[in-house]
Amino acid sequence: MSETHLLLQFEGWFQCRLATDPDPTWEPRGVSGYTRALGRESDFDGILYLQQGDIPDLERNYRKGETSLSNDVGVRVTEAAIEGGKPLDVLKDAQVRLLRGPQYILWNQIVADGVERLVPLIVPFEIEIRKKLLGGGEIVLRRYDPLVPGEIGDRFWETGEPRLYLGRLPVNYVHLSSEVMEAINVFDFNAYFQRRKEWLQLEIADTKDPVEREALEIRLSLIDDSSQSPDPVASPGLIENRLGLQCTWEHDVRGEACFEGADLLGGEVLAGGIDEPDLFWRTRFWHGGWDGDLFRCFMKGSLRVPFRPR
Amino acid sequence: MNAKDEPLIKTPEDLAAALRIAAELEHGLCCQYLFAGFTLRRTLDDFADLPDIPENDKLHVMALTQGWAMQIMLVARQEMEHLMMVINLQTALGQPPHLKRPDFPVPRKTFPIDAHFCLERVEPTTLDRFLFYERPDYLAEEMVFDDPGCCGRLPQVTRPLTLRSHGSLQFKIKSLQELYEQIAGAYKGENQLPAAELFRGSAARQVQSSAVQWFARVNVPQVTNRAQAVAAIAQIVFEGEGIGEFPTSPNSHFARFAGVKQEYKALARARPSAADPELPSPDPALPVACNPAAGDEIPPGATRITDEAAVRAMRLFDDGYFLMLAMLRGFFETYQGNFGTFPTFPGAAPASALFLEGFYPFMTMFIRPLGELICRLPAGPEHPGKNAGPSFALQGKEPPGMQDLDWYADRLAALDRDSHALHAFLADREDRYGAPAVLAAERQRQVLHRMLLNLPRLWKEGVLNP
């Protein structure tokens, strides 16, 4: 039987609390960059969380903003279909995750460029699509991609040759993307953060807890400092201008695969071969609309899963 | 004597000596500021020795120290910027970049500042010292700093050092501002030196920040004529002492340190804990030893660190610091203005290899994280309750000019080995040093290993990613 493809489209906001240049990668709370861990928030972990419920200590580490732009975290499948066939609605709204604690890897110009272009690796990379069905049962598609198949694996510090993982580096970087602006429905970045500042001012006035109030005040001052600096040699508006960036990855997913609940997909899609190691999956996705105050970013992309129908 | 009277700089040799003094000053200030920044308590783990302090009080201190660290690191970055501007003036004069400096503590009056140069944790005397370094001359009478010695002791460790690099200019200049006024007088005015002498070096070898994409409030201009040289010097004293705005620029180092000191005093005055007024305010800095040193010979007034892990980490730090300076000097001596669009640098190898290894990786991924780790290691049984700290020791060595690939690779390989050994040492004694120290050392080992592996390809291709 010849192979065909299961095509999944996904999108949504994710959260990543991380230090930014010129802070060291593992700076715990932020000093010189425009991101800071504040108040009772945990130290930064730099991990991409695609589902709100996966964020550790959610109550402490999930910043709030104005309600109209709350950027609720949750990347989900928006469309699923067999290539050239009918939609597979059973997978619609499935949760998308990146597992194993993935992080952006730049290492301050040691591994990838992060000064003007932001073109990080994402390591480790294991994508999972998970859907719990109302009637019971669960469908899970999961596959890992080693950065460098073989001995090096994800230990990128054990090679100085980026050609070994060229495919995992971003294929495109846009500093101000109209696609991102449309996806997040924000076209006036200054107004976007102006609303955030007004919301923060109201929150500060209403907050009695001194630790929380101090954290809100610092958030407000960071937006001010990083948006409109009187200093002629300061980086202009890092928080504001990062909102329009778009970084795109496109690569195979080649490692061990897992597929559970094939029988729940429907008779015509029984997926013999979906977890065969020689049939690579392929993903293309972008991250953009980075809100450096909320630590949220939008993600949109697709996953193409080959299989041989029975 | 001051710039309005008889000029001190009468010859290109005098100017060369004055620029070497300026380079040592900026370099030495940078190290002191970095050291102080490393000592601030910035996470809850940093309060492990203060278990009785309520968490809310710790969080308040952390909010303050986060802001102080930001200000101190920003000033330190601008001292690096000033050092690079001085190097551009040296290059214009046909002089090599001067990256040597005496080890800490440096006795008062060795430099044209009547105060010691010390590696001190953040405390009131430290902030007073920093304010004194950066004060504008018009505050000289109001701002008397009766230097109590490093960390409030050792009133005078030795007589001022006599450094060959200072030529005959030492003892004749009283402040940083006056030093720069004297230097400016060589470029403009009735005592200016001939342009053919001032700008005989290659203009292409001067580094301009926009050409290599330095941001974060770093602006290094080229100096190819008198006006540019005078403007560069004015920028240094504007950013440092705030000269050019009255009473001072709000973004000057002086104003930034004044703000930190004000908050420090307010913290000390504040009612300690709402929960228990008897509790003291938490100390915002770690108990780091004064002028820590771990070399075979330590300078008078330094504290000999004996804890084995700390000594290993400090020696790793000093070896890496020396290699970083050698890479920077090699870069400054071979840069030809031929960098392309960052970060591709076509055709700029091997200068771009030294840039790509020496700046971001060494400064942000080695000096700072390893310096912060050392400040969290014990100083040794002779110093109960005290922590170690990085010594920034050169031990009289001068970072050499451009070397071949093997020279840099051999030293990076040694750092790789030593960081591996440090990590193994800490991992075997995790109960004593704690998991965060083991993790920090492991990350340091990975960083240095990757830098070692990057070097040959960067040397050949000059490009971070193909």
Side-chain angles (χ1 to χ4, degrees):
Chain A
M1 183 70 73
S2 63
E3 79 183 53
T4 184
H5 296 91
L6 170 62
L7 295 175
L8 302 167
Q9 309 288 330
F10 51 82
E11 66 178 56
W13 292 92
F14 65 94
Q15 177 163 305
C16 179
R17 302 172 60 253
L18 79 174
T20 43
D21 281 351
D23 275 330
T25 300
W26 300 290
E27 157 56 41
R29 300 189 71 81
V31 170
S32 300
Y34 62 92
T35 50
R36 311 271 170 84
L38 301 169
R40 295 188 180 86
E41 293 170 355
S42 308
D43 293 351
F44 289 144
D45 64 8
I47 293 174
L48 283 68
Y49 294 102
L50 274 56
Q51 300 301 324
Q52 192 163 322
D54 296 345
I55 298 170
D57 293 315
L58 183 68
E59 194 60 33
R60 287 197 291 163
N61 294 324
Y62 194 76
R63 285 190 180 173
K64 296 181 178 64
E66 62 280 17
T67 51
S68 62
L69 293 162
S70 58
N71 301 348
D72 288 334
V73 164
V75 181
R76 290 181 178 270
V77 171
T78 53
E79 287 178 46
I82 303 299
E83 194 170 44
K86 289 190 299 187
L88 264 179
D89 286 342
V90 68
L91 279 174
K92 206 168 174 184
D93 279 336
Q95 293 181 323
V96 180
R97 283 182 171 81
L98 295 178
L99 303 175
R100 305 192 188 206
Q103 300 188 30
Y104 291 127
I105 303 296
L106 292 162
W107 277 23
N108 290 25
Q109 302 303 108
I110 292 175
V111 179
D113 315 333
V115 176
E116 264 299 83
R117 301 187 305 161
L118 291 167
V119 287
L121 294 165
I122 298 174
V123 185
F125 189 91
E126 183 174 39
I127 190 165
E128 181 190 83
I129 312 294
R130 181 180 287 268
K131 177 75 181 284
K132 276 189 181 169
L133 303 182
L134 284 175
E138 195 169 32
I139 301 169
V140 180
L141 294 99
R142 183 168 58 237
R143 193 157 192 181
Y144 162 71
D145 185 56
L147 183 68
V148 181
E151 197 174 326
I152 290 175
D154 288 337
R155 297 191 303 278
F156 52 86
W157 57 89
E158 293 192 355
T159 176
E161 182 45 85
R163 289 176 183 88
L164 292 177
Y165 51 74
L166 212 53
R168 284 278 296 274
L169 283 163
V171 293
N172 196 28
Y173 174 78
V174 179
H175 197 64
L176 181 60
S177 160
S178 54
E179 186 180 7
V180 166
M181 292 161 77
E182 281 181 30
I184 66 173
N185 197 28
V186 177
F187 299 90
D188 183 340
F189 296 175
N190 188 267
Y192 176 90
F193 281 109
Q194 191 58 41
R195 282 194 290 276
R196 179 71 46 74
K197 284 161 62 176
E198 288 164 6
W199 182 88
L200 285 166
Q201 283 161 343
L202 291 172
E203 284 293 302
I204 290 166
D206 285 348
T207 302
K208 294 187 172 54
D209 178 347
V211 172
E212 291 301 317
R213 194 169 57 241
E214 194 165 41
L216 291 165
E217 286 167 350
I218 295 172
R219 277 178 65 186
L220 183 62
S221 69
L222 281 171
I223 294 174
D224 273 336
D225 289 350
S226 298
S227 294
Q228 291 175 338
S229 171
D231 185 343
V233 294
S235 301
L238 278 174
I239 283 187
E240 196 171 300
N241 69 18
R242 293 287 195 239
L243 199 58
L245 69 79
Q246 182 185 41
C247 190
T248 306
W249 292 261
E250 181 173 10
H251 58 83
D252 289 335
V253 188
R254 304 158 291 179
E256 61 212 58
C258 163
F259 185 29
E260 297 167 11
D263 53 320
L264 301 171
L265 275 178
E268 78 272 32
V269 205
L270 282 177
I274 208 162
D275 51 2
E276 287 181 15
D278 60 324
L279 292 179
F280 293 165
W281 299 7
R282 188 158 183 86
T283 186
R284 179 183 172 89
F285 59 91
W286 57 258
H287 290 174
W290 167 245
D291 182 328
D293 170 53
L294 293 180
F295 302 127
R296 311 270 161 76
C297 193
F298 199 76
M299 176 176 183
K300 185 170 183 174
S302 62
L303 181 66
R304 194 164 182 259
V305 180
F307 69 99
R308 298 187 180 99
R310 292 175 187 165
Chain B
M1 187 181 297
N2 61 44
K4 295 183 183 67
D5 302 317
E6 187 185 350
L8 290 175
I9 298 174
K10 296 171 186 164
T11 66
E13 291 72 30
D14 290 341
L15 178 60
L19 290 173
R20 285 193 296 271
I21 295 173
E24 289 175 15
L25 267 167
E26 302 291 2
H27 191 167
L29 293 178
C30 178
C31 297
Q32 291 175 88
Y33 298 158
L34 287 173
F35 183 94
F38 297 163
T39 70
L40 290 166
R41 296 182 200 262
R42 296 198 306 98
T43 68
L44 286 173
D45 286 345
D46 287 341
F47 292 87
D49 61 329
L50 302 172
D52 297 331
I53 303 289
E55 183 168 291
N56 274 8
D57 288 9
K58 295 175 188 172
L59 293 172
H60 174 57
V61 173
M62 282 162 57
L64 290 173
T65 55
Q66 194 174 33
W68 300 348
M70 186 272 283
Q71 297 288 4
I72 293 171
M73 295 296 172
L74 191 155
V75 172
R77 278 202 305 282
Q78 286 194 331
E79 298 302 350
M80 295 177 211
E81 172 208 77
H82 295 178
L83 175 57
M84 288 185 276
M85 292 163 82
V86 170
I87 287 173
N88 274 355
L89 290 168
Q90 291 185 304
T91 304
L93 192 62
Q95 292 285 315
H98 184 64
L99 290 166
K100 194 180 176 185
R101 36 152 282 273
D103 288 343
F104 296 101
V106 182
R108 61 200 296 179
K109 295 186 178 176
T110 298
F111 292 118
I113 292 179
D114 189 11
H116 290 86
F117 271 28
C118 311
L119 295 175
E120 298 171 314
R121 72 192 202 108
V122 171
E123 49 188 273
T125 321
T126 316
L127 297 172
D128 284 341
R129 185 184 305 284
F130 291 177
L131 281 165
F132 185 71
Y133 293 157
E134 303 281 359
R135 80 192 194 292
D137 277 358
Y138 66 80
L139 289 179
E141 288 186 10
E142 290 174 50
M143 278 201 58
V144 175
F145 177 61
D146 185 13
D147 191 349
C150 297
C151 314
R153 59 190 176 91
L154 305 168
Q156 181 68 27
V157 287
T158 63
R159 294 168 60 83
L161 303 178
T162 304
L163 302 175
R164 283 178 57 198
S165 55
H166 295 195
S168 60
L169 291 178
Q170 55 200 350
F171 309 125
K172 293 182 180 171
I173 300 170
K174 299 285 190 286
S175 70
L176 261 170
Q177 185 184 338
E178 188 189 340
L179 172 67
Y180 281 113
E181 282 175 0
Q182 291 281 356
I183 292 172
Y187 291 93
K188 188 182 177 187
E190 57 190 62
N191 299 304
Q192 66 188 27
L193 299 176
E197 296 282 1
L198 294 171
F199 304 104
R200 63 185 169 192
S202 165
R205 284 205 170 159
Q206 291 184 36
V207 178
Q208 201 173 1
S209 50
S210 57
V212 289
Q213 300 288 314
W214 282 321
F215 290 122
R217 293 185 169 88
V218 171
N219 176 33
V220 180
Q222 286 185 310
V223 285
T224 58
N225 57 46
R226 293 183 189 281
Q228 286 176 339
V230 171
I233 294 162
Q235 182 187 326
I236 291 173
V237 292
F238 175 73
E239 290 173 346
E241 292 79 7
I243 305 301
E245 283 185 28
F246 189 81
T248 182
S249 156
N251 292 321
S252 68
H253 301 176
F254 179 77
R256 290 179 192 278
F257 286 140
V260 172
K261 189 184 170 194
Q262 200 169 21
E263 289 187 348
Y264 191 107
K265 282 167 65 180
L267 175 70
R269 274 200 310 269
R271 183 166 168 260
S273 167
D276 185 353
E278 297 301 312
L279 285 174
S281 289
D283 185 340
L286 295 158
V288 173
C290 190
N291 296 316
D296 295 332
E297 291 181 22
I298 66 168
T303 304
R304 181 179 287 285
I305 302 302
T306 56
D307 178 84
E308 189 172 347
V311 169
R312 284 170 182 257
M314 290 170 72
R315 290 183 173 173
L316 175 67
F317 183 96
D318 286 345
D319 291 344
Y321 168 59
F322 181 76
L323 178 57
M324 179 188 77
L325 293 178
M327 284 185 162
L328 297 185
R329 182 165 171 191
F331 165 71
F332 284 117
E333 286 187 359
T334 52
Y335 176 76
Q336 293 283 355
N338 55 346
F339 278 29
T341 304
F342 189 88
T344 53
F345 302 152
S352 54
L354 297 178
F355 174 83
L356 287 167
E357 294 268 283
F359 278 87
Y360 262 89
F362 256 122
M363 291 180 186
T364 69
M365 296 292 276
F366 177 85
I367 294 290
R368 184 164 142 199
L370 186 57
E372 289 176 338
L373 167 62
I374 295 168
C375 287
R376 286 152 180 82
L377 294 174
E382 296 85 351
H383 315 287
K386 292 282 186 187
N387 290 5
S391 58
F392 291 91
L394 291 175
Q395 302 196 351
K397 291 182 292 184
E398 175 145 23
M402 188 67 179
Q403 304 290 307
D404 60 20
L405 172 61
D406 287 348
W407 191 93
Y408 299 106
D410 287 350
R411 277 148 189 82
L412 255 181
L415 293 179
D416 181 37
R417 281 194 303 274
D418 292 346
S419 66
H420 193 93
L422 173 66
H423 172 232
F425 185 89
L426 287 169
D428 287 347
R429 295 157 185 80
E430 185 171 328
D431 288 351
R432 172 166 162 68
Y433 294 105
V438 177
L439 181 61
E442 182 179 14
R443 287 166 168 168
Q444 196 62 74
R445 173 178 70 79
Q446 293 170 357
V447 161
L448 287 166
H449 192 63
R450 177 65 196 241
M451 287 172 65
L452 171 66
L453 296 175
N454 277 354
L455 184 63
R457 193 183 59 77
L458 292 175
W459 193 269
K460 188 176 166 193
E461 300 175 14
V463 178
L464 187 59
N465 284 320

